[in-house]
Amino acid sequence: MTNTGASGSATVPEGEADDGSSRERGVVRKLLYSEAVSAFGGGLWFSMWAVYLTSVKGIPAASMGLAMGLGGGVGLLAAVPVGALADRRGARQVFVAVSVARGLLVLLFLTTSGFWSLLGAAALFTAAETSGRGVKVTLVYLLMPDDRRLTVLAQARVVQHITYAAGAGAAAWVLSTDTAGPYYAALAVVALAAFLSALVLVGLPYTAPVPASRRSPGTKAVRDIPFLTLMSTTALLSLCWPLLSSGLPLWLQYRTAAPVWLAPVTVVVSSLFIALYQVRVTRQGKSLRGAVRSTRKAGLALAVCCMLFAAAAWPSGALLASLFILAGLAAHVYGELHYVASRWGLSLRLMRRDAEGEYQGLAASTEGAVATVGPALITTLVTGALVGGWAVLAVVFVAAAVPTPALCRRALHTRGPGAAAGAGPRGGVGN
């Protein structure tokens, strides 16, 4: 017996359809398991590395910050070449290799003893970390049907937040100890998490490389000025992350009557709402028109967040100041949810066929660049310009979103019919 579509034509037999659905669920489970293990290691490492490098390895804080910043910037350059390699060798195969490399490279931090060795370790580890983000999105694109891609990416982000928090909890125990042993053991756990993540990925279906006759020379994405500009401008919205992790704690401590402990509370609350609503909000980014709308919503909401955080400096009472902070947090969560949805929607809909890895590598590198300079920028604005700094950030968020419709139309104009990998029948941009 066969299933019949609305037009009455025979489609896939029931047994085969069920089998295909079962295979798809199996693929999603493996992707999420891999993300869970990897994110646990990430939460463990990124919650302890600063203390580890300064207290255990004895690297001065100023040298450590400079080496990690410069190394991270250099490492970003690998994302596009590794993405192009994913097109040439297959996204699954390259993602496995990158995950293994990440596990090996994190062990370099066991041997760092000064500025230059730390610079090299940071550059190599960041190269694997950033490249992996782009290849992961490419892999989901290739393995999932069009109507499931953004949903699976959103599910992966939910899993990432949960297990990242678990890794951060494990780091809290490590940080509470006074000996080097737990730190070294934690690094081994981070490496093991990367290896286990790669092992799970091996069970995913093989992804065929792009045929040689259709391969990009490896520079198509960086020469695609509309796409490069769009990814660069919208990446500024990712300043929402250091805003919460770097800017808000300093603002609470020095400029408001609200208690400083509100800072970690906002991170926990934000993660909770992301877990609850990311999948739902991401559905709005499945069409290009919806992705553009989500970008505008993100820019406006994050600008409102900045002004509410700034307003928290005026009340002299802790209660009223805290209410401003919580209102700002609500705007921040709304903006972050829509930013993530729009970012996936724009990058998947506007990348070119047969260069998906290269384009996602470019998207990852632009966001990574903002992540590298973001904490220093936010800290400078918040502690130096005070309320004026928050106003500048608000303007940046709005300015990052405003040109999105025009840039999308320009990107579509430069593509021939069918050239865009994700363009569907509702490819309109809107105003």
Side-chain angles (χ1 to χ4, degrees):
M1 182 176 179
T2 59
N3 293 324
T4 305
S7 63
S9 58
T11 56
V12 181
E14 283 184 358
E16 293 182 19
D18 291 342
D19 187 50
S21 177
S22 177
R23 282 197 299 270
E24 182 180 308
R25 288 195 297 270
V27 168
V28 172
R29 279 196 300 271
K30 287 184 174 67
L31 285 168
L32 297 184
Y33 289 156
S34 173
E35 185 68 28
V37 176
S38 176
F40 179 85
L44 178 56
W45 169 242
F46 288 108
S47 298
M48 61 167 250
W49 65 263
V51 176
Y52 165 74
L53 292 172
T54 54
S55 298
V56 177
K57 303 303 291 184
I59 301 173
S63 297
M64 179 271 293
L66 183 60
M68 292 295 285
L70 290 176
V74 172
L76 295 175
L77 300 176
V80 174
V82 173
L85 184 65
D87 295 327
R88 292 169 177 267
R89 295 289 182 262
R92 196 281 314 263
Q93 298 83 274
V94 171
F95 196 24
V96 170
V98 168
S99 297
V100 171
R102 189 156 42 88
L104 293 172
L105 292 172
V106 77
L107 296 176
L108 289 177
F109 292 103
L110 291 171
T111 65
T112 54
S113 57
F115 176 84
W116 292 108
S117 60
L118 180 56
L119 177 67
L124 292 170
F125 182 73
T126 302
E129 187 76 14
T130 306
S131 301
R133 295 191 199 111
V135 179
K136 177 181 71 176
V137 176
T138 305
L139 182 60
V140 171
Y141 172 84
L142 294 174
L143 292 179
M144 291 289 107
D146 183 61
D147 63 340
R148 290 279 292 148
R149 288 166 183 157
L150 264 66
T151 298
V152 172
L153 287 170
Q155 290 172 334
R157 186 165 192 253
V158 170
V159 169
Q160 179 192 58
H161 268 73
I162 294 171
T163 55
Y164 191 97
W173 175 82
V174 175
L175 293 170
S176 69
T177 63
D178 297 325
T179 58
Y183 287 91
Y184 294 136
L187 269 171
V189 171
V190 174
L192 180 61
F195 297 147
L196 290 176
S197 175
L199 185 62
V200 175
L201 292 170
V202 170
L204 291 173
Y206 172 86
T207 53
V210 175
S213 59
R214 301 205 306 266
R215 283 178 190 164
S216 160
T219 57
K220 180 181 287 187
V222 295
R223 289 185 288 110
D224 189 339
I225 301 303
F227 185 87
L228 173 61
T229 306
L230 180 63
M231 290 296 102
S232 298
T233 54
T234 55
L236 290 172
L237 295 173
S238 68
L239 286 170
C240 65
W241 294 322
L243 183 156
L244 206 62
S245 62
S246 301
L248 182 59
L250 293 172
W251 189 246
L252 289 171
Q253 183 173 3
Y254 297 112
R255 296 296 171 182
T256 80
V260 178
W261 52 259
L262 265 183
V265 170
T266 61
V267 174
V268 173
V269 172
S270 175
S271 296
L272 175 62
F273 277 94
I274 287 167
L276 291 173
Y277 293 106
Q278 188 66 74
V279 174
R280 183 182 305 178
V281 172
T282 299
R283 296 188 188 119
Q284 300 181 33
K286 288 187 175 181
S287 69
L288 193 53
R289 188 185 302 273
V292 170
R293 288 174 179 166
S294 283
T295 306
R296 289 192 298 224
K297 290 177 182 178
L300 181 59
L302 292 171
V304 170
C305 164
C306 289
M307 301 318 295
L308 287 169
F309 282 173
W314 297 331
S316 57
L319 177 59
L320 187 55
S322 298
L323 289 176
F324 274 111
I325 295 297
L326 293 176
L329 174 63
H332 185 282
V333 169
Y334 185 86
E336 181 182 349
L337 288 168
H338 280 282
Y339 163 64
V340 172
S342 70
R343 185 75 174 177
W344 288 328
L346 293 173
S347 66
L348 290 177
R349 290 289 167 186
L350 292 173
M351 64 185 182
R352 291 181 181 267
R353 291 186 184 277
D354 300 326
E356 293 88 351
E358 188 182 332
Y359 272 75
Q360 289 305 317
L362 178 60
S365 66
T366 55
E367 195 171 80
V370 174
T372 300
V373 302
L377 174 63
I378 296 287
T379 300
T380 300
L381 287 173
V382 169
T383 60
L386 306 180
V387 172
W390 287 110
V392 170
L393 281 173
V395 171
V396 168
F397 285 132
V398 173
V402 165
T404 301
L407 290 171
C408 284
R409 284 193 290 268
R410 177 61 179 163
L412 289 173
H413 180 72
T414 60
R415 284 146 174 75
R426 295 198 303 256
V429 174
N431 297 313

